[in-house]
Amino acid sequence: MIDLLVAGGGPAGLATAVHAARAGLEVVVVERREGAIDKACGEGLMPHTLRQLERLGVDPRGREFFGITYVDGEQQVSAEFGSGVGRGVRRVALHAELLDAAMAAGVTVVQGEVGEVTQDRSSVRIGELRARYLAAADGLHSPIRRSLGLALPCAGPRRWGIRRHVQIAPWTDHVEVHWGPSAEAYVTPVADDCVGIAILTSNRGGFDSHLEEFAALGERVRGHPHGPDMAAGPLRQKVRSRVAGRVLLVGDAAGYVDALTGEGLGIAFGGAELLVGCIVADRPEDYDRQWRRMSRRYRVLTAAVLHASKYAPLRSRIVPAAAAMPTVFVCLVNQLAE
């Protein structure tokens, strides 16, 4: 019998598979898509996320950045990382590197639909595949999470992300976060001749209509060629638990607060490592508690900033407050970067 089935061959699923294979488990990944998988995301890997990839033997090509800059009109404030550098990496490049690492570790990848999940006291099954455990890495709107009754309703405005790659040389060695009245724009250098711009908002509309909130940024990138836009959302996803019998949720399937602090992949890779540790110990019941402890700092900080950003008077004071208290801003940025 297979030790671990992984439903979903994105970064979270592949990272889980690599950790499991290196722990001596027989692993099969089921993924319906072919080739390198793209996704709407900011593509900025924080220093601790790069260290997690290093433990997986993955070193994706990209463009280094050294901190975060908040911008609101003409006012801005910057914080340098104290624990290393970050890197802007195209999602398809990251996926290709993780897939190579999985193949090198002896992971079997099967192309196909996941379908119905069934389980008993000793195993879990997808179609003809049977394993001791299943890692559900099937994304933000995880059908497995929903089918097992683990999804919870989310109150409040729904947030969406739209990403575009613009062919222009990066003008800064930081990730820039531009704050507008109803949206944020994240500018990440991903190559010597390309930046990724991800816009997060609760309002309807396409990329160009939202870019109008950021006059200086729009002027800088206007007229430069760009790739197709990709969207994702709603971003907020709540879960009752990350474990149901022999099924464990990982990556975006395990719950998501917001892309505001850029921690999605870091949490996904951290969760992958914890999940495998619990399976090796044959203690899946420990995983939810460990995941909550690992992600607590991210969830608290992200929720706090997101809450403040909902109210116009508070939102307009975020960048001025950070500029007035630069030491606090540097500390908060490095809390997320370490």
Side-chain angles (χ1 to χ4, degrees):
M1 183 165 51
I2 299 165
D3 292 308
L4 177 65
L5 275 171
V6 180
L14 291 175
T16 302
V18 173
H19 279 302
R22 291 184 176 179
L25 305 182
E26 181 184 357
V27 188
V28 175
V29 175
V30 181
E31 169 57 52
R32 62 179 175 80
R33 297 163 290 184
E34 287 187 274
I37 299 172
D38 203 357
K39 177 186 173 182
C41 64
E43 299 182 318
L45 305 181
M46 300 290 264
H48 73 91
T49 306
L50 288 178
R51 290 193 290 270
Q52 290 170 322
L53 286 172
E54 185 178 356
R55 292 200 294 275
L56 291 166
V58 174
D59 185 23
R61 290 181 298 173
R63 173 88 177 215
E64 289 186 342
F65 58 88
F66 299 89
I68 305 294
T69 296
Y70 273 17
V71 183
D72 188 349
E74 295 183 356
Q75 189 167 24
Q76 65 179 49
V77 57
S78 296
E80 298 278 333
F81 297 140
S83 59
V85 301
R87 189 180 303 166
V89 177
R90 294 285 292 264
R91 177 54 70 97
V92 290
L94 174 62
H95 184 266
E97 291 283 340
L98 284 165
L99 187 57
D100 286 346
M103 296 295 97
V107 173
T108 299
V109 178
V110 176
Q111 186 184 358
E113 297 289 342
V114 171
E116 183 182 5
V117 175
T118 59
Q119 60 177 315
D120 54 34
R121 294 181 61 184
S122 61
S123 67
V124 59
R125 186 184 295 274
I126 297 176
E128 298 300 316
L129 297 173
R130 180 167 172 257
R132 293 194 301 118
Y133 291 102
L134 170 68
D138 54 340
L140 196 63
H141 305 293
S142 169
I144 294 175
R145 179 182 66 212
R146 187 170 59 251
S147 71
L148 294 174
L150 298 178
L152 291 173
C154 297
R158 300 190 302 173
R159 297 247 295 172
W160 296 76
I162 311 172
R163 188 207 66 201
R164 173 183 290 181
H165 289 120
V166 181
Q167 299 302 310
I168 185 174
W171 56 88
T172 176
D173 59 6
H174 280 202
V175 169
E176 286 186 346
V177 183
H178 294 254
W179 288 82
S182 64
E184 306 93 53
Y186 296 73
V187 183
T188 304
V190 294
D192 292 341
D193 60 352
C194 182
V195 301
I197 303 177
I199 294 178
L200 303 183
T201 182
S202 296
N203 294 344
R204 294 182 178 274
F207 186 95
D208 289 313
S209 65
H210 292 304
L211 189 61
E212 293 176 1
E213 287 196 32
F214 312 99
L217 177 60
E219 182 64 28
R220 186 186 288 274
V221 302
R222 188 173 296 115
H224 289 269
H226 61 80
D229 300 338
M230 297 190 70
L235 298 176
R236 176 71 165 163
Q237 301 293 327
K238 295 178 66 177
V239 304
R240 191 182 314 278
S241 173
R242 286 151 197 90
V243 181
R246 291 183 169 270
V247 180
L248 297 85
L249 308 181
V250 69
D252 293 350
Y256 199 82
V257 179
D258 197 84
L260 192 64
T261 51
E263 284 297 284
L265 282 173
I267 299 301
F269 296 153
E273 196 166 3
L274 292 176
L275 184 153
V276 171
C278 291
I279 288 176
V280 170
D282 208 25
R283 291 188 58 84
E285 65 273 15
D286 292 345
Y287 173 62
D288 189 67
R289 172 179 50 81
Q290 292 180 11
W291 188 96
R292 290 176 183 274
R293 185 173 60 226
M294 176 270 297
S295 65
R296 183 174 294 116
R297 180 168 53 183
Y298 148 75
R299 290 184 288 111
V300 169
L301 290 175
T302 302
V305 178
L306 185 62
H307 180 75
S309 72
K310 291 179 181 178
Y311 304 98
L314 289 176
R315 183 180 182 87
S316 65
R317 294 300 304 164
I318 288 176
V319 176
M325 298 180 289
T327 302
V328 174
F329 181 61
V330 169
C331 179
L332 290 175
V333 167
N334 279 281
Q335 284 287 307
L336 292 167
E338 291 177 356

